[in-house]
Amino acid sequence: MIEFTNIVKRFGDIQAMDNVSASIEEGHVFGLIGTNGAGKSTLMRLAAGVLEADQGSVAVDGEPVYDNSAAKGKIFYISDDQYFFKNGTPRDMLRLYQTYYPDFDGGKWHELMEKFGLDERRKVNTFSKGMKKQLSILCGICANTKYLLCDETFDGLDPVMRQAVKALFVSEIEKRGLTPVIASHNLRELEDICETVGLLHKGGILFEKDLDEMKLNLHKIQCVIKEEGMLDRIRERLEILTMENRGALYTFTVRGRRQAVDEFMEQLSPIFYELLPLSLEEIFISETEVKGYDVKTLLF
């Protein structure tokens, strides 16, 4: 388990992390989402032991990770802006990682490089963005660490490669209990693979929840209302996160158990209503809009 306890991190006058506490369980895919500048990459670097928290603690399996080679050895970190040797080849990266990770599986690495169509002898600086990302992921997989931290993993990958990487993650989870932690703005990709999601906003964590459970408790209601009294009853009885209307057609995002919301709407008996599940993107928009991160305030 990776545990963040009351983390505070500043860069000069910028408060990047503000009293963040969260935990990442083993053997599951954890998705880290957030608004721009929310601190996703900072949290990743803290988890990898690249950065030290100003306050609070970051522990990997109960051990502090910063300046601790044993704890760091359980983690492979793929940053968004990856580093490779100047004029280096994938084989140079292989030799480097074999030095730092004793359990690095060279045979598996050669096999995957061939399957992904990557030339081991070609200079990495001639690779495309997507090819560099593939190389980093394959190195991370073959390092055989317990945790794989991926910052914008799917950025630059074509649809076929995205599916291949997802399948690789699933296979490693089943075989050896790998725990991938994926920070991304591509919420559709995370929705396909993640079991637990953490949402960061302005250096703080808004929630850390099971994705399926979260979807069971957030719903979109579309209904036709022509009576002011009916609208008042909805406002009184339901926990409304967002509301918009076009004439008599109202769209609500509400929090609550589906059965209870459905029963209330049946009793209310509007002219028309429909209860719909929310996508991860819609959940993100709803939760951050409550905190004032609203497209309408940004554009109009």
Side-chain angles (χ1 to χ4, degrees), residues 23 25 38 63 113 136 174 234-235:
S23 60
E25 300 288 342
E63 294 184 82
M113 288 289 289
S136 294
E174 292 175 349
I234 291 174
R235 285 170 167 160

Side-chain angles (χ1 to χ4, degrees), residues 220-284:
K220 182 194 294 183
I221 302 173
Q222 288 185 329
C223 59
V224 176
I225 299 174
K226 291 190 175 181
E227 302 174 17
E228 189 67 30
M230 189 175 288
L231 182 58
D232 291 338
R233 287 179 63 191
I234 291 174
R235 285 170 167 160
E236 290 170 4
R237 290 286 301 277
L238 298 180
E239 185 181 347
I240 299 173
L241 299 182
T242 66
M243 180 182 77
E244 58 183 57
N245 72 291
R246 294 180 180 178
L249 178 63
Y250 284 78
T251 302
F252 303 94
T253 303
V254 302
R255 198 192 309 275
R257 301 299 297 180
R258 181 182 179 90
Q259 183 178 351
V261 173
D262 217 5
E263 287 176 356
F264 169 73
M265 292 303 296
E266 285 286 348
Q267 293 170 4
L268 193 65
S269 191
I271 296 172
F272 162 82
Y273 91 90
E274 188 175 18
L275 196 59
L276 303 168
L278 270 71
S279 67
L280 181 56
E281 183 171 332
E282 289 173 317
I283 291 171
F284 174 89

